[in-house]
């Protein structure tokens, strides 16, 4: 079939480039930014625009095809192919490109024509400059208003708005990457990343490559990098697949991104049809159609975010001075070696904050990850949580390495369900850690009497933020541990979780408030007794005694800096809860009271719904 197409082109004196150029005007007409995209055209339009021979050859090549049984209706083989052709045409006609860009009035319109813009930017640097200038104008007028971009980097925008900003930034990066612009557009692009912050909300393979390319040419201005995977693997908004290998084998040109129609077509393919068509495509020479090849890459279904190759990003760290790095829900997997190598080579020597949550799939991987934290000498904040661990290996290894982090101020090791023996390894090293340690969060890990004894002795008096689980220990050790916290006179935030002795917990915290003059927020979470499933929460959780509440009530009234309180799975008597509401309401800067709804009587639930107590949130 391919040889037949070549013969027809030669007989007409047409080249593939000529055909693409001649069809370009038609392709652009169907993709006007202000109108609904059109893939179907009348044969007479194409003949009028070019020639009958070109229409016949283009049909024989498969660039366009006859629509059903209508001889006069022709359509591009896919929208992405039409966009590619339109972009190339516009790049070769600067006046028409400027006119096209001027019609793009909104960010949504820019993203709807994204492949046209990427394709144009890929042709030559002059076209890329026109595209980038137009995109940055939209950024200034529509995104970087009312502190939107600042809210985006702080994670304060809605999911929809975050996705909009993210996709627009990715569009700019992809145009820059396809243009192979190096540092030419750095001044423009730097406006996308406020104060050197990079925030990736569920980034996929192709944008990851584009971002890695940009960071490599970023002139070392990037300071903070946050990578967060929150998108569902089958979210229809995800357009990018993990299979870059086929494109690299077939061509090094533009990577076309299919739309929802392609995803639907992929799902309808039968396995044997996919294999046959895949084989045919691999036999085509490099000049053939990218979009069709990309269509085949998607035939195996949508990937999860863990398939994203973070290699280009991690490898680009050597070009920047990175101070803050957060990776959340992206499995490092195949990139763990790249990460460890980057740390070993000193690329993170300036790192002051490192967060890694749900980034490994095995305990062995987590052990390997924590084994390099001593190569981050400037580290002030370390948060490694929600990863699998090797019992007896991961946390003891981390404890040994932390001793070399002499600037450490905040340590978060939570949600591991780690055995008490492993926590002891961490607690024993606390006196050898930085004399500046201010925060220690180890919730959702196990505790026993030995661990409680060691922790009560080793906690530095510099601690201002403490979060610990107090489960699996005797009542005596429980009381000794909590009483020992009274010496932490600088404490501002306290979280006690899974206490089996709520009366003692409330009483000790109430007494402690007289010592903690700077206390701002505290959270008390009780562990319900494991009784019958048909019992209510009030039956499972013992009610706080009047004596324990009186001790807290008195000290809580005089605590001057309290701004937030959370009681979870704890039952206060109706009168005690009412008194708590009144105390909170009287505090000048009080912000929130969170309480478990199931632990309240109907009378108090109605009281909380009263507008008078707007600071109350019922979980």
């Amino acid at each position: 079939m391919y040889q037949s197409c070549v013969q027809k082109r030669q007989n007409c004196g047409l080249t593939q480039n000529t055909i693409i150029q001649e069809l370009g005007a038609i392709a652009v007409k169907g993709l006007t930014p202000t109108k609904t995209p059109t893939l179907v055209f009348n044969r007479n339009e194409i003949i009028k625009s070019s020639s009958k021979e070109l229409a016949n050859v283009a049909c024989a090549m498969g660039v366009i095809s006859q629509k059903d049984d209508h001889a006069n209706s022709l359509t591009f083989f896919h929208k992405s192919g039409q966009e590619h052709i339109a972009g190339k045409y516009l790049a070769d006609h600067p006046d028409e490109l400027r006119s096209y860009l001027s019609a793009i009035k909104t960010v949504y319109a820019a993203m709807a024509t994204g492949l046209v813009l990427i394709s144009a930017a890929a042709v030559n640097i002059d076209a890329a400059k026109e595209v980038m200038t137009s995109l940055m104008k939209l950024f200034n007028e529509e995104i970087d208003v009312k502190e939107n971009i600042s809210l985006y980097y702080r994670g304060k925008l809605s999911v929809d708005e975050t996705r909009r900003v993210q996709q627009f930034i990715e569009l700019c990066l992809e145009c820059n990457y396809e243009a192979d612009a190096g540092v030419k557009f750095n001044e423009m692009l730097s406006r996308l990343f406020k104060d050197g912050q990079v925030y990736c909300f569920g980034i996929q393979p192709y944008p990851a490559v584009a971002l890695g390319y940009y960071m490599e040419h970023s002139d070392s201005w990037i300071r903070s990098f946050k990578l967060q995977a929150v998108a569902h693997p089958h979210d229809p908004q995800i357009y990018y697949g993990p299979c870059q290998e086929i494109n690299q084998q077939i061509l090094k040109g533009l990577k076309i991104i299919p739309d929802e129609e392609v995803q639907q077509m992929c799902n309808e393919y039968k396995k044997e049809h996919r294999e046959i068509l895949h084989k045919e495509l691999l036999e085509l020479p490099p000049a053939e159609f990218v979009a069709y090849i990309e269509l085949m890459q998607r035939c195996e279904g949508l990937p999860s975010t863990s398939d994203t190759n973070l290699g280009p990003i991690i490898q680009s760290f050597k070009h920047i001075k990175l101070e803050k790095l957060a990776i959340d829900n992206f499995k490092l997997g195949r990139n763990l070696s790249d990460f460890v190598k980057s740390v070993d080579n000193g690329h993170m020597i300036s790192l002051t904050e490192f967060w890694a949550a749900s980034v490994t799939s095995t305990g062995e991987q987590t052990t390997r990850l924590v084994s390099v934290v001593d190569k981050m000498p400037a580290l002030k904040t370390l948060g490694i949580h929600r990863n699998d661990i090797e019992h007896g290996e991961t946390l003891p290894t981390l404890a040994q390495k932390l001793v070399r982090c002499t600037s450490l101020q905040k340590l978060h090791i939570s949600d591991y369900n780690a055995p008490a023996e492993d926590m002891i390894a961490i607690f024993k090293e606390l006196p050898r850690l930085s004399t500046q340690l201010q925060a220690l969060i180890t919730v959702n890990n196990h505790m026993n009497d030995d661990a409680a004894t060691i922790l009560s002795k080793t906690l530095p008096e510099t601690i201002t933020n403490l979060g610990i689980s107090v489960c699996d220990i005797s009542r005596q050790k429980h009381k000794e541990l909590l009483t020992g916290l009274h010496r932490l006179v600088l404490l501002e935030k306290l979280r006690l979780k899974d206490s089996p002795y709520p009366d003692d917990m409330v009483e000790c915290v109430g007494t402690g408030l007289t010592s903690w003059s700077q206390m701002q927020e505290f959270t008390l979470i009780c562990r319900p007794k494991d009784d019958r499933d048909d019992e209510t929460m009030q039956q499972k959780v013992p009610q706080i005694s009047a004596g324990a509440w009186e001790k807290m009530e008195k000290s809580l009234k005089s605590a001057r800096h309290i701004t937030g309180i959370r009681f979870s799975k704890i039952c206060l008597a109706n009168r005690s809860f009412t008194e708590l509401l009144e105390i909170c309401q009287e505090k000048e800067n009080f912000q929130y009271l969170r309480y478990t709804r199931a632990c309240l009587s109907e009378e108090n639930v109605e009281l909380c719904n009263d507008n008078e107590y707007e600071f109350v949130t019922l979980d």
Side-chain angles (χ1 to χ4, degrees), residues 487-500:
R487 65 184 176 84
L488 305 179
V489 296
L490 300 178
L491 206 57
E492 297 175 0
K493 297 180 181 181
L494 175 65
R495 183 182 184 191
L496 299 176
K497 192 172 186 296
D498 296 335
S499 171

Side-chain angles (χ1 to χ4, degrees), residues 388-457:
D388 292 327
I389 64 170
E390 288 182 290
H391 291 177
E393 290 290 338
T394 304
L395 294 187
T397 298
L398 176 60
Q400 294 172 7
K401 301 296 183 179
L402 284 176
V403 176
R404 300 183 184 179
C405 299
T406 56
S407 300
L408 196 65
Q409 296 178 4
K410 300 177 182 179
L411 177 60
H412 295 244
I413 313 170
S414 55
D415 302 311
Y416 281 109
N417 201 28
E421 292 74 16
D422 285 8
M423 296 309 301
I424 287 175
I426 296 291
F427 297 156
K428 281 184 176 179
E429 298 297 339
L430 291 179
R432 299 176 60 197
L433 295 185
S434 165
T435 56
Q436 307 170 58
L437 191 65
Q438 298 171 10
L440 177 66
I441 310 295
T442 64
V443 294
N444 295 333
N445 293 305
H446 290 283
M447 184 82 78
N448 62 18
D449 283 3
D450 290 340
T453 300
I454 293 171
L455 180 60
S456 63
K457 294 178 181 179

